[in-house]
Amino acid sequence: MAKDKKKAAKAPERPKLNNKDYLEQLRKLHVELVKLQEWVIASGAKVCIVFEGRDGAGKGGVIKAITERVSPRVFRVVALPAPTDREKSQMHVQRYLPHLPAGGEVVIFDRSWYNRAGVERVMGFCTEEQADKFLNSIPWVEHTIVQSGVILLKYWLEVSPEEQTRRLEARINDGRKIWKLTPMDLKSYSRWYDYSRARDEMFKRSDTEHAPWLVADSNDKRRARLNIITDLLSRIPYEDVKREKVTLPKRQKPGNYEEPNYPYRRVAEPY
């Protein structure tokens, strides 16, 4: 019995990753992401990354960590607003399909077609029949996407109720984050177990061999960012693309050019 109790005991929490170590590891991963970018351009690869999770799970922070050192022309972030009346009349995935990557692109969805299986279902923006039809069809849709040559990665960020509460409370009290807290977030917060049931059903019906769900513990934001970037790099068969060594050319001589005596409107320098 003692052995069984030991097995059942919860593993001790790892200490938070300090900022210095985090930035050091992130810098190394950024170098790899740039290599990935060069390979995507050279090979014409098509990469689609989906991020889902509860409000406050850290999706935005992960996306920012991925994209802050690469080109926005290659790494495109898609965060669609609420659908228009016209879009509501369309097939649900229809408004997402035009945003899928072309050759030489990485598209990141900050929430995706899985809105139908999550927020729309829980908050009553779609019927149970519509949610059921979506979950029946989406494995086939994703199979078609993958068959077209798209590398499709789907990440679910898992956060505990205690950490979600801490983060949402921080949004209330931080003027930099208050915009992140919407009336919908507050309604969603009160329905933790409705979201849990919706998540469980989504996993059961859309976790496939061709498009599996990849679950990341996001209670420690820094570790989550590093772990997710490391994982996605491991799942894309990128290679180093050789580039010619860059040397700056000589700058031309001024010749007869003289700086003008112009009354520039200077930016104030309070710092």
Side-chain angles (χ1 to χ4, degrees):
M1 288 295 291
K3 288 183 179 179
D4 291 339
K5 286 182 179 179
K6 285 183 180 178
K7 286 182 180 178
K10 187 177 179 181
E13 289 189 10
R14 300 172 70 183
K16 295 283 187 180
L17 193 63
N18 68 59
N19 195 52
K20 181 180 177 182
D21 290 342
Y22 165 68
L23 292 176
E24 181 181 347
Q25 295 303 318
L26 185 60
R27 182 185 179 282
K28 296 176 182 177
L29 292 174
H30 280 158
V31 172
E32 293 303 312
L33 285 169
V34 171
K35 291 180 183 178
L36 169 62
Q37 174 177 271
E38 297 299 297
W39 174 80
V40 166
I41 295 170
S43 67
K46 299 177 287 186
V47 181
C48 180
I49 308 171
V50 168
F51 284 105
E52 294 287 347
R54 303 175 193 268
D55 296 313
K59 298 180 293 297
V62 172
I63 292 170
K64 182 179 179 181
I66 292 171
T67 58
E68 63 182 341
R69 295 293 181 176
V70 290
S71 170
R73 292 185 293 275
V74 179
F75 280 72
R76 293 194 293 110
V77 178
V78 177
L80 297 184
T84 63
D85 288 339
R86 180 178 182 276
E87 289 171 332
K88 289 177 183 177
S89 71
Q90 296 174 340
M91 180 176 66
H92 174 67
V93 298
Q94 187 173 341
R95 73 187 192 117
Y96 295 94
L97 296 179
H99 298 280
L100 289 175
E105 292 181 343
V106 179
V107 171
I108 300 174
F109 281 96
D110 184 354
R111 293 198 182 277
S112 65
W113 44 87
Y114 282 102
N115 271 347
R116 174 128 301 178
V119 63
E120 289 187 16
R121 185 178 196 180
V122 172
M123 303 307 296
F125 297 143
C126 71
T127 65
E128 281 297 309
E129 181 183 8
Q130 287 173 320
D132 184 64
K133 286 182 177 179
F134 166 77
L135 288 169
N136 278 337
S137 64
I138 200 59
W140 300 103
V141 173
E142 291 178 345
H143 186 264
T144 302
I145 292 172
V146 172
Q147 286 291 97
S148 75
V150 174
I151 298 172
L152 177 60
L153 301 175
K154 303 187 306 191
Y155 288 97
W156 175 272
L157 275 62
E158 187 66 32
V159 66
S160 69
E162 297 80 13
E163 181 62 16
Q164 185 196 44
T165 298
R166 189 192 69 78
R167 291 177 186 177
L168 294 184
E169 286 179 344
R171 293 180 183 182
I172 295 172
N173 301 314
D174 190 333
R176 301 167 300 171
K177 300 178 181 179
I178 190 63
W179 63 272
K180 292 184 177 183
L181 193 63
T182 67
M184 187 59 61
D185 295 335
L186 298 177
K187 290 180 182 178
S188 300
Y189 174 79
S190 67
R191 299 187 180 183
W192 176 272
Y193 292 105
D194 287 342
Y195 271 96
S196 293
R197 294 184 188 96
R199 175 204 59 195
D200 296 347
E201 182 74 4
M202 182 186 75
F203 282 173
K204 181 180 178 181
R205 298 173 65 178
S206 63
D207 183 23
T208 60
E209 286 298 321
H210 59 268
W213 276 106
L214 307 166
V215 181
D217 181 344
S218 67
N219 282 319
D220 184 328
K221 288 182 178 181
R222 291 171 179 168
R223 290 188 190 279
R225 293 166 191 169
L226 298 179
N227 289 336
I228 290 170
I229 295 173
T230 300
D231 184 85
L232 76 85
L233 287 169
S234 74
R235 294 177 186 275
I236 302 173
Y238 71 99
E239 301 174 349
D240 278 347
V241 176
K242 290 185 178 180
R243 301 188 69 178
E244 292 184 10
K245 187 176 181 181
V246 177
T247 56
L248 292 176
K250 290 183 178 180
R251 183 172 284 162
Q252 66 180 155
K253 296 180 179 180
N256 61 355
Y257 177 78
E258 294 181 4
E259 289 288 343
N261 184 20
Y262 187 81
Y264 295 108
R265 293 174 174 84
R266 298 284 183 179
V267 173
E269 297 180 347
Y271 302 103

